[in-house]
């Protein structure tokens, strides 16, 4: 359930500063765990090396975002808009992308063990998505990806 998303690994005032930040350099490579980031509207698209592990990112608009070499493992990105985003070289193990729009998204060289692109109710939009060099998908998810890209 959603109880895993509370204040996470940072204090509430730190979370408020992060949510209102005009840039993200000081957060690059810093692991932030279990944060509820629904409704976050990043001020910039440069989100390289963001380590948002086990975070609630449902429904976020991250179209065109540069998320290269990020770690979003175990995060919930259901329904997120990631059209044209660059996630290359990222750790996406255990991420739930069901219902997300990944049209023209670069997912090359990503770790995808236990990652879900389809669940019981909906699948991700994957037209034009690049999965070159990605690895770790279970067969059911791999079949979905292969038939929808």
């Amino acid at each position: 359930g959603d109880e895993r998303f509370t204040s996470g690994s940072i204090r509430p005032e730190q979370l408020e500063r992060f949510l209102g930040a005009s840039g993200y350099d000081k957060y690059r490579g810093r692991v932030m765990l279990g944060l509820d980031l629904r409704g976050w509207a990043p001020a910039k698209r440069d989100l390289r090396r963001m380590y948002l592990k086990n975070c609630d990112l449902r429904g976020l608009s991250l179209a065109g975002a540069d998320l290269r070499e990020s770690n979003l493992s175990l995060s919930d990105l259901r329904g997120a808009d990631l059209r044209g985003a660059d996630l290359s070289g990222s750790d996406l193990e255990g991420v739930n992308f069901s219902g997300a729009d990944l049209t023209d998204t670069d997912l090359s060289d990503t770790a995808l063990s236990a990652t879900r692109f389809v669940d019981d109710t909906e699948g991700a939009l994957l037209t034009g998505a690049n999965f070159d060099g990605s690895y770790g998908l279970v067969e059911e998810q791999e079949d979905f990806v292969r038939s929808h890209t």
Side-chain angles (χ1 to χ4, degrees):
D2 294 339
E3 64 278 353
R4 68 182 174 144
F5 305 114
T6 55
S7 61
S9 63
I10 61 176
R11 295 188 311 275
E13 62 273 11
Q14 291 173 310
L15 177 59
E16 287 303 314
R17 281 196 299 274
F18 172 73
L19 293 174
S22 60
Y24 304 100
D25 287 343
K26 72 186 255 179
Y27 299 100
R28 292 188 207 290
R30 178 179 175 189
V31 175
M32 293 186 278
L33 295 167
L35 301 176
D36 184 346
L37 297 174
R38 288 173 294 171
W40 176 42
K44 306 230 184 220
R45 296 286 123 183
D46 183 359
L47 301 171
R48 288 170 292 128
R49 292 184 48 243
M50 296 299 292
Y51 294 176
L52 303 172
K53 299 171 73 170
N54 194 31
C55 290
D56 190 344
L57 305 166
R58 286 179 287 175
L60 284 191
S61 178
L62 298 169
D66 183 352
L67 286 152
R68 287 175 291 160
E69 299 176 10
S70 290
N71 187 330
L72 305 176
S73 59
L74 301 173
S75 289
D76 190 344
L77 281 138
R78 287 177 290 168
D81 180 358
L82 290 153
R83 288 171 296 148
D86 188 348
L87 290 157
S88 60
S90 293
D91 182 348
L92 305 174
E93 293 184 352
V95 171
N96 188 347
F97 286 113
S98 301
D101 189 345
L102 296 159
T103 302
D104 297 324
T105 298
D106 188 350
L107 295 149
S108 60
D109 301 312
T110 53
L112 299 173
S113 298
T115 301
R116 288 174 286 170
F117 293 95
V118 61
D119 63 15
D120 294 337
T121 59
E122 60 187 334
L125 300 174
L126 299 173
T127 304
N130 176 11
F131 286 87
D132 292 346
S134 63
Y135 55 93
L137 273 180
V138 296
E139 187 174 345
E140 169 194 342
Q141 298 298 314
E142 190 172 348
D143 291 345
F144 178 82
V145 167
R146 192 175 305 115
S147 67
H148 287 84
T149 51

